[in-house]
Amino acid sequence: MDKLRIEGGTPLNGDIWISGAKNAALPIIASTLLAETPMTISNVPHLQDVTTSMELLAQMGVKLTVDDKMNIHADASSVSCFNAPYELVKTMRASILVLGPLLARFGEATVSLPGGCAIGSRPVNLHINGLRKMGAEINVESGFIQAKAKKLKGTVLNLDLVTVTGTENLMMAATLAEGQTVIENAAREPEVVDLAECLIKMGAKISGAGTSQIIIEGVENLSGCDYKVMPDRIETGTFLVGAAMTGGKVKAKNTRTDLLDAVLIKLKEAGAKITLGEDWIELDMQGKRPIAVDIHTAPYPAFPTDMQAQFTALNAVADGVAIITETIFENRFMHVNEMQRMGANIKLEGNTAIVKGCQNLKAAPVMATDLRASASLVLIALVAEGSTLVDRIYHIDRGYERIEEKMNQLGAKITRERSRR
Ligand code: EPU
């Protein structure tokens, strides 16, 4: 397994180009299953999860090619297999996103249950219940979701909890259902909006994406289109936190400035000077140590759970005490134990972490446990004294494009130690 070695002590300074959003690219890749003619997706990040999605679709019969600019050309005009096997789903939970499209267009789907994961139990009951309410017959047996429906029927779906991929799955299914579907308590995440815009370009009739009520009028069929994936707001936030923690100055380019309000407010509270351009955000920490900031995660537009670990790292080196409350996933504090190995002063109480910042963190061997936790370990290692070795970085490769190259462009000293296997 590859590892990252990080020499602490250099501030991040310079410009960085933000990649396409993983959590928008994955549902959009799944949506190609709905199109009867070929389509092209651009600004796709080069990530392990994207490769896994392509493998998944390819084994269903979708013809996929990637050109030198990482544009994905997908032709789902003939699909011969409607299964998502355990081997792929277990490596990427977002595989569940093929369930809605397969069922809506082909009337059948067999998708492995994703199972638990490092950050929480993450059930998919709301995806299943919604599709059942649309008329699908679904059996969950021997670890698989087996779904059938002659034609899905539009209905009102009241989601008990805000679920991002649940909203996406049901919205995709509804595009080809008979009549109108209303999703109440829908997720308002920008990635849901990006998917809706792609589906609309494919011929779907969707209104209200970005609000908690999405209305979909079913159509007979969808066709391919050219679609550019939105920039990654979490990658943007991660680099800005890196600059804030190291007292540096970073301009995140090719990003969206309107999607990170909750994060930028916290960075300003931490003492950063933030400047916004048309498609860039600059953070200047002017060599200062950040001030501790309390964090409370919640669905968009509130503070994203996907930035919680990075702000735990920031608070671990900040001036003061911060209270971090995680309300989305029950086990998303695995990075805390690793940070404690570097000397961080963090106390966990249920879904709350009390972080007292300190200035003398020391490098230690640490282990990445999930995607955002690994990013937070890279960030904290930038500030610790000495050389930190982060193990199991396959997690980070699932969601950050060439993280060490990008960090090094900004002055970090990170090397990848490749495993011999
Ligand atoms: N939930 C249920 N039942 C369901 C679905 C969700 O109880 O059927 C619960 C979950 O257990 C969780 C909460 O609802 O407690 C919210 O989960 P959600 O369904 O919104 O999460 P997700 O769709 O599985 C996406 C992102 C995650 C991100 C969350 C929250 C993708 C591919 N994944 O997951 O991204 O943390 O939304 O914003 O879009 C990451 O990128 O590191 C990542 C984990």
Side-chain angles (χ1 to χ4, degrees):
M1 269 182 265
D2 289 3
K3 300 180 171 91
L4 289 180
R5 182 172 292 285
I6 300 139
E7 301 294 334
T10 44
L12 297 186
N13 276 309
D15 295 358
I16 198 73
W17 190 262
I18 297 302
S19 302
K22 167 182 85 84
N23 289 348
L26 300 180
I28 288 172
I29 292 172
S31 80
T32 63
L33 281 168
L34 291 163
E36 290 182 9
T37 54
M39 62 189 278
T40 300
I41 314 168
S42 57
N43 203 31
V44 179
H46 192 190
L47 300 172
Q48 186 54 47
D49 274 8
V50 167
T51 310
T52 307
S53 294
M54 290 176 64
E55 258 178 67
L56 182 63
L57 264 60
Q59 59 92 40
M60 290 173 184
V62 179
K63 291 187 200 74
L64 289 156
T65 49
V66 182
D67 66 23
D68 52 350
K69 296 193 182 92
M70 257 315 272
N71 295 324
I72 296 183
H73 304 280
D75 179 356
S77 52
S78 66
V79 170
S80 47
C81 156
F82 313 112
N83 296 355
Y86 178 62
E87 286 64 39
L88 289 174
V89 179
K90 76 174 182 202
T91 65
M92 189 189 67
R93 301 180 52 83
S95 309
I96 189 74
L97 286 163
V98 300
L99 178 62
L102 284 176
L103 196 55
R105 181 162 165 223
F106 304 103
E108 61 176 299
T110 303
V111 177
S112 169
L113 269 177
C117 104
I119 62 176
S121 62
R122 302 183 78 181
V124 288
N125 58 312
L126 300 174
H127 304 229
I128 295 174
N129 293 349
L131 292 170
R132 278 195 178 129
K133 211 166 167 220
M134 294 172 80
E137 241 178 69
I138 302 186
N139 288 317
V140 182
E141 239 175 56
S142 315
F144 282 87
I145 305 165
Q146 288 169 331
K148 275 199 164 41
K150 270 215 177 82
K151 179 92 179 158
L152 292 172
K153 300 224 170 15
T155 183
V156 177
L157 302 170
N158 246 309
L159 303 181
D160 294 340
L161 282 171
V162 174
T163 159
V164 176
T165 50
T167 302
E168 292 166 346
N169 231 342
L170 296 169
M171 182 168 71
M172 287 193 279
T175 58
L176 294 181
E178 198 181 302
Q180 185 185 74
T181 304
V182 181
I183 307 178
E184 300 282 4
N185 199 25
R188 290 181 280 165
E189 268 64 7
E191 293 75 16
V192 174
V193 179
D194 210 38
L195 171 66
E197 280 172 6
C198 176
L199 293 167
I200 290 167
K201 236 180 152 187
M202 290 161 76
K205 293 199 174 134
I206 303 174
S207 59
T211 74
S212 51
Q213 187 193 59
I214 304 181
I215 302 175
I216 307 115
E217 302 286 344
V219 295
E220 278 303 311
N221 47 50
L222 296 176
S223 39
C225 68
D226 288 353
Y227 195 78
K228 184 174 174 199
V229 174
M230 65 181 276
D232 198 314
R233 64 191 167 105
I234 305 300
E235 189 199 20
T236 306
T238 303
F239 279 105
L240 296 180
V241 170
M245 288 175 67
T246 57
K249 179 176 174 181
V250 165
K251 188 192 239 185
K253 294 164 90 169
N254 184 43
T255 191
R256 290 261 303 266
T257 57
D258 55 332
L259 307 177
L260 275 152
D261 287 356
V263 170
L264 297 183
I265 287 170
K266 287 295 165 185
L267 287 169
K268 281 184 197 158
E269 218 179 296
K273 183 172 166 253
I274 307 267
T275 316
L276 303 183
E278 199 181 318
D279 65 350
W280 54 263
I281 305 174
E282 186 179 77
L283 181 144
D284 187 357
M285 205 60 190
Q286 298 166 319
K288 290 180 300 187
R289 182 182 178 200
I291 301 159
V293 286
D294 291 343
I295 298 292
H296 182 102
T297 67
Y300 191 85
F303 190 92
T305 173
D306 289 346
M307 285 300 301
Q308 179 262 106
Q310 299 88 319
F311 272 78
T312 306
L314 179 137
N315 280 312
V317 301
D319 183 10
V321 179
I323 308 224
I324 301 184
T325 314
E326 170 58 55
T327 72
I328 308 288
F329 293 113
E330 68 271 23
N331 197 25
R332 210 171 197 183
F333 276 128
M334 304 273 279
H335 41 284
V336 166
N337 291 330
E338 303 303 306
M339 291 177 182
Q340 284 167 339
R341 303 190 67 245
M342 300 170 77
N345 185 343
I346 309 176
K347 211 164 99 197
L348 271 183
E349 281 176 13
N351 71 340
T352 301
I354 301 145
V355 189
K356 186 168 186 314
C358 53
Q359 277 185 300
N360 52 353
L361 297 184
K362 297 264 185 321
V366 289
M367 205 165 68
T369 49
D370 71 79
L371 170 55
R372 307 302 168 188
S374 7
S376 73
L377 295 176
V378 171
L379 293 178
I380 202 165
L382 293 173
V383 181
E385 189 192 320
S387 162
T388 298
L389 196 61
V390 184
D391 200 351
R392 300 206 177 166
I393 53 139
Y394 57 85
H395 289 292
I396 214 166
D397 293 332
R398 294 185 44 201
Y400 287 89
E401 193 172 49
R402 300 178 289 108
I403 188 145
E404 72 273 29
E405 276 178 46
K406 284 189 165 183
M407 287 277 181
N408 288 348
Q409 273 172 35
L410 297 171
K413 291 183 187 147
I414 308 182
T415 45
R416 183 175 287 251
E417 299 190 352
R418 298 208 177 266
S419 72
R420 284 168 207 275
R421 277 191 298 131

